[in-house]
Each structure stands twice: as structure tokens, then as C-alpha cells.
């Protein structure tokens, strides 16, 4: 199976002032980490992908089931929902399993709701019929950007699952109305940076997650000022960076979806 | 006790194209609902406010306690955290209490994290010393915009609590570094509207919550495309609307904080 | 909306020995605190009332739903159940939310069972048909006597809800077979006192809650010796005090139920 | 080990009108069921008793531990707390274990709070020192009156535990300030009856539980009108019946405490 | 009711080398503790037995219910499941109730799964029809070997319940296909011992539980090296000891099942 | 990184009668599935391995932390504990996350206790000092034998973690006293088979898990008759098969531990 690999954007796309900056890992401000997407990583799922962004790695699976939640029964429409987890050893300091405390923590809840909303933005529930697709995103290694990697990888898993359901005759037409990907960005030391790793994220003044569709529409913008309130000018700069990053992620997704 | 009341913005601030639109309740697109803030609504709290936005009503309280969570002990810094709840009868259809299911639902978790982050953006934890302030936002009546009303009202409760702690000599100087307020906005039928009520929110294509400080910095932007992806132009329009609404909310907050 | 206000009982009803006593807040032993009942406090409920007894304040709502619990289905009979909660800031020291521990505490369970039993004593379930009415009592400010205030206020909420259901044609006849109210009393420093506030309750030797119907029947008597066992003579004295207090509460309820 | 057995009260104590009544099991209205108390039933406890009232059977144990709950540490005072459970097969229809639902049900909570309060009424916490005594009451067979049997049996377990702790030199003097026992009574078909069994309890108009000390003081009175409100005259009748029954239970307790 | 009592095996069955050893309680290595089985201990169950092995005592009940778990409905087959609990005072140091932590601990889960599997090995689910039998094993006193005593006692409860269901015409033929019993054994100080008590179990190098049917088949073998890995020779020795012990337990079961 | 690959055992080790049998996947009765062990699969753990047995795949990690559980503090000894989980998509039919139900299911509890006991059998807690090592085994793909694969893989993760802690000077000497591996076996259609896959396991009459140390000692034997009780002869046959399989697993472990 071929791994899809990102390439640095061509030099001429980078404005001079930004190109002058160098990040702790040698990246330019508008440069993604090395992105890899390995489709069909988990053969037991309807569709799956292992996505890597630098040392961040997330297993994304799509599992199709007949039927929908009780409150949707009988309308002939489907449902897509997401769950997110971290393997205990995925962070440097071992993270207690959610089940040990008996409930997912607040961050987990927030992330899985974001993933679900983002993916539902490109699904036609009428075309899906009364099926539920569970998107499970489990973090193998966490080095920043896991929620965005989850969205980007989950779309690949979902697209492969839909293709398989069509091949098997379980779906008449594709329920996908487009594609979707996500990337983080932020202001670190006053500079707008794309695709923060953990060390950058920890010292960011502002942290943003942007989800976009393949035709450039915004699905979700979440910008949070961790230390200093954000100006409109900075927000615009972040949205521009994100838009560039997502464009490249969308290409890598298409390659992974098409891979045999 | 005096109730602070919002007034419609003067007509000359409204661009002609927008002024032509009328909403189901007679408001212009850039008009807030009637806002009331009643300080000291709950005498048992260190500080409190009952905020109303149209028929949405939220009780906001600030309770100060000595000490901080375990992971912060010994650094001489304080902490501010928020919890959010809805009285069972606050929605038309009775909502089951969170405790009945044994855990807060995902929406509650997401909202209380947002309130906490927003208020922490204007607190100097060094000045607060090793105290914890709990901000509790309990919805009496829900008609859209409860999370934004919670943030706006919680700031009044917090400011009054801080003033009282200073009066009582428990704090040497105010831990507040500014003020903060929030408002929702969205795209409904292709038109950008400020301060959606429940019926508008239910049919919105895009739904956004914006949190800003008193000096115009963005603390949090959350825009979610419920039906149709959002263009950059529409996002800019929403941010402009929100900025105008928050300016008026900040004035009402100051009056409520100063009220005897 | 008119607030119903209690008046001190006429002096001739007070026996001389008792009248000589004065309580820390100036009340006579057989005197209720100032009672206020504000009906329709929460417009989103089928019926509601905000009841105040001195600085104790409880929001009582009645929410009607179609259908009954599983074990009652198909008998053509309705059900009435109660839940009780305290806003975290309702007590001087902030009280942790029940949901944080994942379950209601023992006191909450005991109180909500008492409220439910008391109100069910005046309901004809046949006349209610297969509907469930939830009575939610949420304490805004706690200064003693919250469970009794809850019962007294819940009856007003229930009566207004039933009237509304009849008006809307959802009920053919009233399911109410009478009225019900409750008051606390106790022995403090050897003297029997009516309607204890928190400071009296904290130093009481005996603490009792009495629930009575409009025609003077006892629905529930709960007397607990906190420090010294109770003599039969003292119990009789408490029941007499309670009976007088409840008579006055029943009048205030009727005014609040009739208020436009 | 000798089992303590109750005897019918002498005929002359029974008023003529009551003696004419006969109950479904042949008892007179003021007659207890056959009561047995077997001390030291569970050798692994500090003190224990198996109490039977007709076919109702409850295992009561007292377990002493060093230390007290966190909120009491350092005051040199002890604590007594109670827990109540039912073996799944104790009722005709198997009852699900509390742990299966993850929390004790409302009735269990109410009962264990009552047992704890009742026993604490006869304990001098200063004399107990910083020890905690757990009273566990587990129902083997349930045929009505389990909460009262639990209180009566728990006192025997507690008294034997205290005696043993004194013998072992762990307590200098007895922390018991008296004795305590409980009995149920009720109005069935308009007649006041003592010590209801399950079938009587199921058809009772009024159900009461009375807890008294050895010197005749009331510790707790809980009277609940299940079907018809209760008159003062009936309440007085119930208290008289209970007082007679408890007198006999106190004698049986003393015999069981003294048994070798 | 007659209590079934074990007798020491005749001396000629004991090999010389083993007979020379004496255990702390005077038993030979291949000797069971005194075994008592009291059938119908809990009259409210369909079938029951109180089993004692030395000072270990377990109440075993079988409760029959109509219907089966959801995943089995409609196949005409029954189900047998087991639950295990310990009364808080059953161990020297009081054990917290499982419900207090909200879930059974790991040991409890492991044991109740073992009991269920063991008993299901001798049940014909077709003959049981769509009924569920719950086997509840509640430990009164714990001195080692409670899981094996539970299995042995649960079989008596089950057999008596089946006989009663046949008598009452609720079962056409017995669903039992044989009998089953269990015993523990272990290596202590290098010597293989049968039926360990708590003090032996605490110092055992190897601890094993063996479940066998009446015709000598192994249902479950669980051998765990607590300190030193186990050799094949030692395992063989343990299986031989267990086989001898179970033979005697099966005889005692038959007597208890037949007892009037 | 080199993947360690198992090779079929040489033909002369296979007894003629067994060699004649062929399994559904072409294996001989005494043949393991293809085994792969990829060390350092998760770079964020102290030590890790991805183990595969046919299509079964388990991620095993060892995470070292300073300190020990409360009940062990101050003895200068360490602790090793295990947790087990399944990714939701690891089985054909999606498996609900444990956290969704709020507690691990019975099978999970049983398995993680087995893994913990097995690994503790080869650890010298004195040499480990007051450190805790968490072994997390998370199943990527489940096709039978996941608990045995977990034990075998966890030993590699543990050995690599210990080596790393020694290299970093955090441990003076290795706490490992030997090695440990596990394999399943069972009776299918009357024939003893090694290393069952899911389809074999589903139709097995008897199912056994055997854990052995590198010097041939038995750490745990768990044999369960699912359909037919097991004879001693069959048990002996299973132990022989397991012993051969574990010998080969121990070799593969050593290669993976040594791999750079």
C-alpha cells in the first residue's frame, strides 16, 4: 500500500517576510509538517486510514451499521457520528483511560463533537439511507494538531467506506457531497504559523482550528486567545494560512482515497 | 435595585440595505434583543447577576473559595472555572437533569469550557492569589443565545465579586485586566443577523459565537456551518455585526457593575 | 404580576406565654417568616411559582408530558413525580453540583421523595389520564425550610398547570382532590418554634416537617430528635404550631393560584 | 447460642374493642410478630445480630475502624454510620443489585439515613473517640418492617461491639447513652395495627415508623398517608401502639445483648 | 432441616508420605474442611443453600424468572447467570460495598463469570425454555475458598429450584444434565494441599481452582503461580487432590438436594 | 526496524497422527499462525511493540512512572499493572467503547487482571524500586488469541522499557527475573489445536490459555470447557501443544528485544 506524502509548497507561493522566519524544526511559517496517509490500516473496519502529521499519528476508521439512533428512525435518513480517544501512551506522560474515570473528559467531548459536525457537513443523509457511520479517531502519538488530523483522516476513512458500500451494493449512490479537511494554526511570538506542533502550541498566544470543504467553504472556525486577545488583522492572516494548508491536505486525501 | 436596559442603537448607525430587512420579532438584522441585567439577584453568592436577552434568562453567580485545584497549589496563583446548567423546565419540552444520566451531556461540557476560557482571558491570576472563583450559569429560560448570555452575565457577577473581595480586604487589588462579553450571530436565509433567538437559530445556515474584550480584542470566535459552508465575506459580515452588539453589551455591563 | 404576601396572624391567636418570647429575628414562636409566592415565574413551564420564606427562595415548576413510566402504561392513570436541586451558590459555602459526583446525595433523594409523596396525596390519577407531571424544585437561596417551601410552592405550580391543561382542553376535569402545604417547626432551647430559619435549625434539639391538606388531614409527619429525644407533649405542641402555620400558607396559595 | 423469643403481651393490656379484631395471621392489632434475635451471627464482625420478625430477617453487623471521615478529623470524636442492602432473592420477585445500576435506589438511601440517625441518638461521640462504627443491615428475607427490624437489630450489634471494644481495652468507657428500638404501625381498613407485614403494609391507608429510646423518648416519627390523610386522633392511636411494641422489643434486645 | 456434614475420608485412601504432614488446623494435606450444606436457607428464593467450609459461609440462591436477555429472545432457550457479593463485615477488615464505588471490583467480576460458566456446563438450555435463572452467591464469612464454595452451593440451589419448577409444572423435564462442584488447592511450602483456608492461601506459591462434573470431567482449571512458576508434576498432583475433594463434595450435594 | 517473523517448526517435531490433520487455513494442529513483533511501534512510550498473530494485532506499550499506588508507598518496591482495550473497529461488528457504558465489561476486567499477573511473575519489585510500570494492550484487529498476544507482546514492551530505564540510569539493574509468553489452544472437533483463530475458537469444545516462563514453568493455566467437559488426557495434550508454541514465541521475543 502506497503512503501519500506531502511536499513542501513551491517557494514562489511564500511571501518574502514570512520566508525569512525559521521555526524550531526548520519549517517556514506557512509549511505543513510531513503528512502521511495510509489507507486501509485497519482491515476490520469498513474504511480506515492512519494519518501522520510529523510525529502526530491518528488511526481513523469508519464503521457502517444498519439502523439509526432512536430519534431518527423512520425518516429514511442516515447519521454520522464520531468518537475520539487517545491511547494511554500516546502522550509523553501516560494519560489515564477515560473509562477509569467513568466518563470522557471535557476535551474529548469537545473534540468528538467537532469531528462529527465537520464530517456531517459533506454527507447527504438521504443518500445514506437508514445507516449509521461511526467515525473513530484514536490517537497513537500526540504531538499537537490531533483534532485536525482526525478530521482530515476521518474523511479518507469515510470516503473509502462509502466506496466499499457502493461496491457491495449496500448504497445506491455516494452520500458524499464534497470533501473536508482541517488544519490548526496560531500566533506564536507574534508570528502567524501553520500546523503547530506540541511545543509551538504550548507557547501560542492564539490557537485556531479551521475546517474547510474542497470548494473552499468554511465549515468551522474556532479561534481561541490563550494569552492575548486576537486582532482582526491576525485572524485574517490565520485564515489565509489555513486555507493554503487545507488545499494541500485535500490533494493528499484524494491520493489516499484513490490508492489501491 | 435598578435593572439595566438596552436601547436600540441610533438609526444612523444602520446601513440602508440592512435596515430594510425586518425579522419575525420586528428587530433589524443588527439589533440585539431587549437586554436586562439585574445584579445581586442571588444574595448568597459572592457576586451575581440575572441576565435576560429577550425571553432567554440566565442566573450567573461568582463564588469565591480559598485554595486552588491540586495541580496549581503553591504557585501563589488563583483559578477561575465555570459550570453551566439548565433548569429542567427552561426549555419548552422538559429537559432531563444531567445528574439523572450521571454525567453532563456533550453540549454542557462544551459550553462550560467556553465560559471558563472566556472569563479567564481577563483575569490576572497573580493578583487573585490562591483563590478559586466558580462561575455558575444556570438557565432559567432558554430561547437561544444562552452561552453568550452566560458569558456576558458571568462577567458582571465576577466583577461584583471582585469588588466585594477588595472591600472585605480579601484581595489587595482587582484581578480583572479588562472586561469581556459575548454575542451570537448567524446567517439565516442568506442574511447576517445579530443575536439569534431559538426560532432563528433553528433555521440558521451558519451559527457563530463571538467573545470580545472591552478594548475590542477577539477572545474566541466559533463559527459553525450547520447547513451551508460559510464564505469569507459572510464571516467578515458576522464579525462586524458581533462587534457592534458586544459594544452595546459592554455598556450595559458597566452600568450593572456600578449599580448600588 | 401580583406577589402574594403573608401577614402576621392577629395578636389574639397567640397565647400569652408564647407571645412573651422573641426570636433572633423578632418573630414570635408561632410566626411564619415573610412568605411570598410569585406565580408564572418561569414562562417555559406548564405552571410555576417562585416561593420565598424569609431569605429562602425556591423555584417550583410543573411540566406536563404525555405518557407515563413503563410500569404504569395502559392503565389509563397518570403519575406525578418530583425532583429537587440546589443551585451551587444557594448556600453560603458553594455546594458542588450533584452531577459532579455522578449521583444525587442522600439528602436530595430523601427530599425529592417527600415532595413527590406529598403532592400525590391530592391528585386523582384517573382524572389525570396517562400524563406525567414533573415537579421540579430548585433552590435559589437556602436559609432553612427548603423542603417545606418546595412542597408549598409546588402545589401552586401544579394547580396552575392543571388549570392551564383544562383551559387547553388537554384535561377534562381537574385531577386535584384538595390542596397541600408544608411547614417546618422544632424545639430550640426547650421552646417550640414555627418555621425555623437556618440558624435556628442548626441549634434545634428537634426538627419536624409537617405536611397537611386543606381540610386539615396529616399527609406526612417527620419528627427527628437531633440532640434530645422528644416527649409526647412536645410533639403535640409542634403539631399545633404546624397546623396554625399551614392554615396561613393555604390562604396564600389560593391567592397565588387565582392571580392573573 | 440462645435465641431470644418474644412472648405475647398479657391479655389485660389489650383494650376490649381492639381484642375483638383478628388479623389475617391471627394476631391482635397490638401484637408484634414472633421476634427472634440471634447475637454473634457473623463471627467476622466486631458485633452482630440476626433479627427476625415473622418471616422478615435482617443481618445486622457493627464493624469498628480506627479513624473518622475527613471532615471530623482532629476533634477527638467518633462517628456512627449505617448502610442498608437487600439480598437479591430477599423479595419474592428477584431485586436487581444496587451495584448493577451503579447507585443505591432512593428507598435504600432514605432507609440507611434513618438507621444512622436513630443509632447516633444513643451514642456519646466523645466517649467513642476517633473511631468509626459501620452498621450494615442486609435483608435476608423481606416481609415488611425491614427498616425497623434493622434499627432494633443494629442496636444489639452495636452494643455487643462496644462491649467487645471495652473488653479488648480499645474503649475506656461505653459510648452508649441508652438503648433504641423501632417498630412500624399503620391504619388498615380504618383500624390501627402494630408491626405490619408485607400484605398489611400493601393495603395500609397510613404507614408509620416510630423510633424510641429505652426511657421512652421519641427519636424519630415518620407517618405517611398513602391513601387517606391521617387525623390527629389516629396519629395518637398509632403512637400508643408503637410505644407498647417498642417496650417489648427493648426487653428482647437486653436479653440478646446479655446472652453468652 | 438436616444439615449435611462431611466426614473425613477413610485413612486407607491417604498415601503414607502425605499422611505424615499436618496442617496448622490439624488437617491432612488431602483433607477438606468441615463442609455443611443447609438447603432452603432463604425461603424467598426459588431454591437456596447456605454452604459452609470451615468458617467460610456463603448464601447461594437460585431465582427463576420468565424471559431471557434481549439477545436470546425467540430461540426457545433459557439462560443461567451468576452474581457474587460479599457482605461488608464478611472479612476481618470491613470491605466497602461495591455500590459505593459504583461498580463491582475486578475480583468480583472474575468470580461471577467463573460461577456462571461452571453452572451453565450442566444445564440444557432447550429444556429450560425461555426462563432465566439468577444464581446469587453472597459471602457471609470469608476464610478462603469462597468462589469454589459458591459453585458447589449454587449447584444445590439450582437443583432444588429446578425440582420445584418441575413440581409446580413450570418445567416439563429437568434442565440439569449432570452435577458440578469445585474446590481450591495449592502449593504451600512446597507441599500440595487441598481446600486452602485464608492463612494458607496467603502464603501459597501456587493457587488453583478446579471445577468438575459428577462424571469426572474437568469444567474449568485455573492455576495461578503467585510466587514460583508451577511444574507439570505439581500441576498433576493438584489435579489429583482436587479430584478427590470434589468426589466428596458431590456426595454432600446429593444429600442436601434430597433433604426434605 | 526489522520485523521478527515466525517460521514453521521443522517437520520432524510433528507427530505423524497430528501432521495428517489440516486446519481451515492450512495449518497443522501444532502450528502457530504467522507471528510478527515490531518493537518501538509507539515512540511516545517508554517501551512498545506491535504484535501480530495472523490477522490479530495488538499494540503493547510499557509506560514507567515514578511512585507506586498508595497501599505500597514507603516499602521501596515497585509495581506492574496492565490495562486492555479494543479499538471499536477491531472486531467485524463495531464494539462500543467501554467508556460509553461507564465501566469496562467483565471480559476486559478478566483479561487485564490476567495480563498483570502474568507479567508480575517475572519482575523483581525490589530491583524496580518505587516505580510503576503500566502495560497497555490495545487491540487493533481481533481474530482470536488477543489476550495471549497481549501477554507475549507486553513482555517485549516491558523488556525494552527496562533496558531503556537502565540506559538512562533510572534503574541500577534489570528488574526482570526471566521471560514470559502465552498461547491459546483448544479442542475443536475432538482434536487438540494450537493458537486458535476466531473461527476455531467459536466452535471449540474446550478453550485454554497457557502462560509459561522462559525456563518452562507454568505461570497460569486456564482451561474452560465451553461445550464438553475435558478429560485429563486432553488437558495433557493441550499443555504439550502450548509448551511447544510458547518455546517458539520466546525465541521471537528475544529477537525483537535485541532488535535495534
Amino acid at each position: 500500500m502506497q503512503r501519500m506524502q506531502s511536499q513542501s509548497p513551491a517557494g514562489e507561493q511564500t511571501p518574502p517576510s514570512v520566508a525569512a522566519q525559521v521555526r524550531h524544526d526548520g519549517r517556514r511559517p506557512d509549511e505543513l509538517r510531513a503528512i502521511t496517509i495510509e489507507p486501509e490500516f485497519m482491515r476490520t473496519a469498513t474504511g480506515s486510514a492512519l494519518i501522520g502529521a510529523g510525529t502526530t499519528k491518528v488511526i481513523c476508521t469508519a464503521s457502517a451499521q444498519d439502523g439509526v439512533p432512536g430519534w431518527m428512525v423512520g425518516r429514511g435518513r442516515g447519521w454520522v457520528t464520531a468518537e475520539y480517544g487517545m491511547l494511554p501512551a500516546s502522550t509523553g506522560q501516560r494519560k489515564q483511560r477515560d473509562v477509569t474515570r467513568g466518563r470522557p473528559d471535557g476535551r474529548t467531548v469537545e473534540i468528538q463533537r467537532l469531528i462529527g459536525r465537520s464530517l456531517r457537513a459533506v454527507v447527504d443523509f438521504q443518500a445514506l439511507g437508514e445507516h449509521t457511520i461511526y467515525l473513530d479517531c484514536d490517537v497513537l502519538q500526540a504531538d499537537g494538531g490531533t483534532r485536525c488530523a482526525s478530521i482530515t483522516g476521518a474523511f479518507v476513512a469515510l470516503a473509502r467506506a462509502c466506496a466499499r458500500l457502493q461496491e457491495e451494493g449496500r448504497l445506491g449512490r455516494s452520500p458524499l457531497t464534497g470533501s473536508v479537511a482541517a488544519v490548526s494554526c496560531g500566533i506564536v511570538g507574534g508570528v502567524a504559523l501553520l500546523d503547530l506542533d506540541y511545543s509551538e502550541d504550548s507557547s501560542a498566544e492564539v490557537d485556531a482550528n479551521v475546517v474547510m470543504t474542497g470548494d473552499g467553504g468554511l465549515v468551522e472556525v474556532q479561534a481561541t486567545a490563550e494569552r492575548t486577545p486576537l486582532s482582526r488583522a491576525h485572524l485574517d492572516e490565520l485564515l489565509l494560512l489555513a486555507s493554503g494548508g487545507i488545499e494541500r491536505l485535500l490533494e493528499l486525501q484524494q491520493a489516499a482515497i484513490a490508492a489501491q
Side-chain angles (χ1 to χ4, degrees), chain A:
Chain A
M1 177 117 350
Q2 179 188 358
R3 291 194 185 204
M4 304 303 126
Q5 208 98 18
S6 69
Q7 300 177 5
S8 298
E12 65 273 18
Q13 297 172 330
T14 313
S17 69
V18 166
Q21 309 270 354
V22 176
R23 292 155 77 172
H24 78 104
D25 59 358
R27 282 190 286 156
R28 287 188 315 277
D30 67 343
E31 192 175 345
L32 291 175
R33 289 178 284 180
I35 305 294
T36 55
I37 307 179
E38 180 180 339
E40 303 307 315
F41 178 75
M42 264 177 75
R43 297 274 167 187
T44 38
T46 317
S48 69
L50 172 65
I51 185 165
T55 53
T56 286
K57 281 186 199 301
V58 186
I59 305 172
C60 305
T61 60
S63 301
Q65 290 190 353
D66 291 337
V68 285
W71 53 274
M72 291 190 66
V73 169
R75 304 193 213 159
R77 294 165 57 83
W79 187 239
V80 170
T81 188
E83 295 188 5
Y84 171 93
M86 300 182 85
L87 292 199
S90 62
T91 52
Q93 188 72 5
R94 182 178 181 273
K95 185 177 184 293
Q96 195 186 42
R97 281 172 201 267
D98 277 345
V99 72
T100 305
R101 293 178 314 131
R103 55 168 86 164
D105 67 18
R107 179 181 164 276
T108 294
V109 169
E110 198 172 271
I111 292 176
Q112 60 197 12
R113 284 167 59 87
L114 172 63
I115 302 171
R117 282 197 307 271
S118 297
L119 274 290
R120 283 193 293 270
V122 293
V123 175
D124 170 355
F125 292 125
Q126 206 69 48
L128 184 53
E130 292 212 351
H131 297 96
T132 299
I133 298 184
Y134 287 89
L135 300 170
D136 288 286
C137 300
D138 287 274
V139 178
L140 267 182
Q141 293 181 175
D143 184 28
T146 62
R147 78 186 71 188
C148 290
S150 294
I151 292 168
T152 305
F155 179 72
V156 175
L158 176 62
R160 294 193 67 112
C162 289
R164 184 164 156 189
L165 293 170
Q166 280 187 278
E167 280 165 31
E168 294 174 353
R170 292 172 61 192
L171 285 181
R173 56 189 166 100
S174 174
L176 296 180
T177 62
S179 61
V180 69
V183 79
S184 79
C185 45
I187 309 290
V188 182
V191 182
L193 301 180
L194 180 67
D195 191 15
L196 310 185
D197 67 15
Y198 179 76
S199 72
E200 291 170 333
D201 188 74
S202 303
S203 59
E205 291 102 52
V206 174
D207 170 28
N209 295 293
V210 180
V211 186
M212 292 179 75
T213 57
D215 48 13
L218 290 163
V219 171
E220 185 111 11
V221 174
Q222 292 193 339
T224 302
E226 303 281 354
R227 285 184 177 73
T228 329
L230 176 70
S231 66
R232 272 305 308 276
H234 261 155
L235 177 60
D236 290 350
E237 210 175 329
L238 291 178
L239 290 169
L240 192 65
L241 273 183
S243 169
I246 287 174
E247 213 169 299
R248 296 198 290 282
L249 290 169
L250 290 161
E251 290 165 18
L252 291 163
Q253 283 180 330
Q254 291 311 319
I257 292 167
Q260 296 305 316

